[in-house]
Amino acid sequence: MRFGADWLASERPELTDEFFKGLSAHARSALPYLFEFWALPHQLPPEGAWRSWVILGGRGAGKTRAGAEWVRAQVEGPRAEDPGKARRVALVGETLDQVREVMIFGDSGIMACSPPDRRPEWQAGRRQLVWPNGAVAQVFSAHDPDSLRGPQFDAAWADELAKWRKAEETWDNLQFALRLGEAPQAVVTTTPRNVDGLKRLLDAPSTVMTHAPTEANRAYLAASFIEEMRARYSGTRLGRQELEGVLLGDVEGALWTTAALEGARIETPPTLDRIVVAVDPPVTGNKGSDACGIIVAGVVSTGPKQDWKAYVLEDATVEASTPLQWAQAAIDACKRHAAQRLVAEVNQGGDLVETVLRQLEPLLSYKAVRAARGKAARAEPVAALYEQGRVHHVRGLGALEDQMCQMTTQGFHGSGSPDRVDALVWALHDLMILPSDHLAKPRVRTL
């Protein structure tokens, strides 16, 4: 059993009291500085021969504390004046002020984490920390990559790398300087952003990563903060990035961007004149198939056509091993939203798609569509609707929006098939681009 903070929180009070009573006075005084006891899993270094450890996390997930404690573990020896594994450390932040105020003197910085007998001295004039055992940490700003030319180190801590304007140049210079000792290492603590420097680092074979959302560290955060962040950002791409610590995948030349989709967010859709469910069925129906894209959207179609507004209501996409499973999910979505029609692409399935759907709901109002152009070409006029401010999203569409931000005029840059985007495109084509079609009498009555 690992005795730690999680054990203390879950055990009965009498057992935790017994644990503390069994400690010597020296052990009790040392316990607050024994990070291995208090650390969350994502705050502890992974095993193995890595060169760079990236801690990706949401705001307040405990990244700074993990970085400061890792530096301590590198420079401190068994006793205050004994040497540690590292003697020369680089501390790199976006600016010199941020290194000083966050990494060194912050509430979770090196000074706050260090026991009194091992606390380093800050030498402001030389911009360095000096430990009682002689280890030295120098301070650097990512605004000045060339300042890393010349010095050499056996350890480094880089904070908020995804915010650095000169991230790649600064990181490259740091790598050249990280050349002392048997196995020099660096830890990177950052909230993720879709920037080349961070993606390049994560792709390196010598990089390992740990990850945690903000809520992993909720025991040390104000309850009102957690509640406010949930209310404001739950189910949004910004929330996925800043709170869940997810690296979002905008790509250069994408038809949609994170900023644009955040601007299209609404809390509650208005009363809609028409709702459709669009389906992009997988080519095959087995465990190795792509997901079945299922998107629910509606439209307010009063006034001139150029004033119509569409609202994306749900991403009901499923991983289905049989056609009946995705067909049932699509029909369930129709019923949940009282949709007037189900639209399905039939390029791959032909009449089989309709046959499967009607096995479950014979009176389904159904429309088959065939793709005469490529995915990107079909998506472009839909992207134009977003640029005009005519499409809005409810919360909770993160997986769909991730795919949207990877769709370019040259095609999809994500892994697998853009099944969710395909279904979205069919839904908005039916609602906004080919609206006259819905005025025709359906072949069967609606659900």
Side-chain angles (χ1 to χ4, degrees), residues 274-279 330-331 333-335 338-344 353-354 357-358 360-369 430 437-447:
R274 183 166 177 266
I275 297 172
V276 301
V277 173
V279 181
I331 289 171
C334 286
K335 292 178 179 179
Q340 279 74 40
R341 175 177 288 176
L342 187 147
V343 179
V353 173
E354 182 175 4
L357 289 164
R358 293 204 185 281
L360 300 173
E361 183 53 61
L363 299 180
L364 178 70
S365 178
Y366 171 84
K367 176 184 176 182
V369 291
D430 191 76
D437 180 69
H438 81 269
L439 299 175
K441 183 177 179 181
R443 285 181 286 173
V444 293
R445 69 177 177 85
T446 60
L447 290 173

Side-chain angles (χ1 to χ4, degrees), residues 238-428:
L238 185 62
R240 281 165 60 75
Q241 174 178 283
E242 300 295 324
L243 299 178
E244 297 178 29
V246 175
L247 180 60
L248 302 179
D250 292 22
V251 299
E252 185 176 354
L255 295 174
W256 293 273
T257 66
T258 295
L261 292 175
E262 290 297 333
R265 184 95 53 226
I266 60 164
E267 293 299 323
T268 305
T271 300
L272 301 172
D273 297 316
R274 183 166 177 266
I275 297 172
V276 301
V277 173
V279 181
D280 177 47
V283 176
T284 58
N286 55 56
K287 292 183 178 180
S289 300
D290 293 322
C292 176
I294 304 173
I295 298 296
V296 184
V299 66
V300 175
S301 56
T302 54
K305 179 181 173 183
Q306 62 268 24
D307 293 338
W308 291 11
K309 296 286 181 69
Y311 298 84
V312 184
L313 307 175
E314 183 185 355
D315 177 0
T317 298
V318 293
E319 302 281 348
S321 57
T322 68
L324 283 176
Q325 288 177 330
W326 61 252
Q328 187 64 64
I331 289 171
D332 289 345
C334 286
K335 292 178 179 179
R336 280 196 302 275
H337 295 274
Q340 279 74 40
R341 175 177 288 176
L342 187 147
V343 179
E345 181 181 332
V346 297
N347 280 51
Q348 303 296 336
D351 293 339
L352 176 62
V353 173
E354 182 175 4
T355 299
V356 172
L357 289 164
R358 293 204 185 281
Q359 284 182 15
L360 300 173
E361 183 53 61
L363 299 180
L364 178 70
S365 178
Y366 171 84
K367 176 184 176 182
V369 291
R370 291 184 178 275
R373 298 182 295 167
K375 298 177 186 295
R378 294 198 306 273
E380 285 190 67
V382 172
L385 295 174
Y386 281 82
E387 292 177 5
Q388 296 164 7
R390 298 176 61 195
V391 185
H392 299 280
H393 284 199
V394 300
R395 291 174 180 265
L397 302 176
L400 166 64
E401 292 168 351
D402 287 350
Q403 283 194 358
M404 294 171 71
C405 292
Q406 297 178 81
M407 176 64 78
T408 75
T409 56
Q410 304 303 312
F412 183 57
H413 285 236
S415 60
S417 172
D419 33 66
R420 301 168 196 268
V421 175
D422 283 348
L424 171 79
V425 167
W426 287 123
L428 295 180

Side-chain angles (χ1 to χ4, degrees), residues 176-197:
F176 285 117
L178 202 59
R179 57 181 184 257
L180 296 180
E182 295 183 3
Q185 294 178 311
V187 62
V188 177
T189 51
T190 189
T191 302
R193 287 188 180 181
N194 187 45
V195 293
D196 290 340

